[in-house]
Amino acid sequence: MTFLLTLLAAIFVLGPLIALHEWGHYIVARLCGVKVLTYSIGFGPKLFGWTSKKSGIDYRISALPLGGYVKMLDEREGEVAKGEQHLAFNRQHPLKKIAIVAAGPIMNFVIAIALFWVLFMTPTEQLATKVGQVLPDTPAAVAGLPVGDKIVAIDGHDVQTWEGINYRLAGRMGETGEVSVTLQSDPQNSSARQTYQAPVQQFMQGAAQGKDALSSFGMLPWQPQIAPIIGNLAPDGAAIRQGLQKGDRITAINDEPIKDWISATRIIRDSPEVLLNFTVLRDGKSVQLPIMPQGKKDNLGNDYGQIGAMVAQSEIVIPDAYKTTVVYGPGESLIKSFEKTEQLAVMTVSSMGKMLSGMIGLDNLSGPITIAKVAKQSFDISWQMVLSTAALISLSLAVLNLLPIPVLDGGHIVYHLIELIRGKPLSEGVQMVGLNIGLLLLAGFMVLAIGNDISRLF
């Protein structure tokens, strides 16, 4: 059942993105006077579809849902009647060819901007960007960031939400240097600002790989002080097997004092398959329990520990000082959607460069299985998360398709730019060599991405 729901979620999110990407190629081709033969969602054998009586275009859904294509009349792919040669793609001016090829990725950019626009216009109550906690032995601790001050900028870029902070920090992944954090001590006085320099070394790599950007940096939002008292225990968990009982209060883990539940869960999550010494208070007496968290994997394949223990229920009240309502008007939302699209596009290209240079591992590359799992997870959270996930995937499709690799749209654009400069296209032989190289590169990336996806399952 989980597999079916994951598949349906992936189809629901990816289907429209693929269809609109191909529609971009399709509509611009028709506007440029090129005859379209087939509009397909998916590759391989045709599952179902129809042929337009007016245009003769074969609209179809195909068996392999890993993309789609628009087949146009082209003399390189078959004989074309003399009366239709002016409708063939290969006969068009290079600028028309570039417009047709670029239309797909541009449509994905438009989709991302539109979805971000909707999300920015939706009022949300969020945690204020005040530093709630600074973790020891982290860049934030070394920089001496004060708890309670409001974060207003990262590396000189204004930030208004923790999501924005997270993206700015994630953009520094793999880097060594200093992260600039600007804090404001008085919310009413914009001049009461101070900038701190936090040193990072191969940020989010090594021992920190798999952790989120905020935890790796050591700067967290406000979190409730939940007493570390055990509530329910999973019948097959490590906790109950090693003697942890309902009502026990965790006072220390490996001699590190524990004052709240979140501190305990952070140590447990960071210690998969590592034996931990728990000190608990039971009936007024201190009890020592060795417990090894079971190793689990999240949707992105990151390892984490779990002992099968839940906290006793308690009421959580967020202080007003740590709450804020974020709302933007239509105009400001549109500006912010463009800014976010640009930021994430640059971060995506930068991350690819870092993978190729070895600054970050190739295991960060994800494929269709991970995308499907993330899509399913977004449906479990909220409609806003579904739109956000769709926007991020659409943006990734746009950037990936614009890479100058033959077979991809970016590679074809390079061919047509060369044709525009030379006044004639590259020879068929040269183009075929490029396409074969592109296919090998693409196949290699797909094998690596799917291999990473599979490794995250186990």
Side-chain angles (χ1 to χ4, degrees), residues 76 97 406 411-412 414-420 422-432 434:
R76 297 168 299 179
K97 294 179 183 178
H412 289 294
V414 171
Y415 281 164
H416 302 320
L417 283 172
I418 293 172
E419 179 185 352
L420 181 65
R422 294 178 74 230
K424 61 180 180 179
L426 292 170
S427 67
E428 293 281 338
V430 171
Q431 291 191 48
M432 285 307 300

Side-chain angles (χ1 to χ4, degrees), residues 309-363:
M310 287 150 278
V311 68
Q313 291 185 352
S314 60
E315 184 180 1
I316 297 174
V317 179
I318 302 174
D320 290 339
Y322 284 91
K323 291 191 293 186
T324 184
T325 299
V326 179
V327 58
Y328 304 105
E332 190 178 7
S333 295
L334 186 60
I335 292 171
K336 287 193 169 294
S337 65
F338 272 97
E339 291 174 345
K340 185 170 183 176
T341 301
E342 178 192 11
Q343 176 195 348
L344 294 180
V346 170
M347 191 170 76
T348 301
V349 174
S350 174
S351 296
M352 291 177 187
K354 289 176 182 178
M355 278 191 273
L356 292 175
S357 66
M359 286 181 67
I360 62 177
L362 291 173
D363 53 356

Side-chain angles (χ1 to χ4, degrees), residues 147-188:
V147 172
D149 283 10
K150 182 180 179 181
I151 305 162
V152 294
I154 300 290
D155 288 330
H157 299 280
D158 291 344
V159 289
Q160 284 110 8
T161 65
W162 281 102
E163 180 190 47
I165 295 169
N166 188 64
Y167 279 133
R168 288 295 175 189
L169 291 175
R172 300 295 302 271
M173 182 189 297
E175 296 183 20
T176 296
E178 290 186 334
V179 175
S180 172
V181 183
T182 303
L183 300 176
Q184 183 172 317
S185 56
D186 183 356
Q188 308 302 322

Side-chain angles (χ1 to χ4, degrees), residues 37-42 44-53 56-63 69:
L37 303 177
T38 306
Y39 176 95
S40 176
I41 306 303
K46 178 179 179 179
L47 295 179
F48 59 88
W50 73 96
T51 300
S52 170
K53 294 180 180 179
I57 299 173
D58 176 19
Y59 298 94
R60 62 170 66 180
I61 302 294
S62 300
Y69 64 91

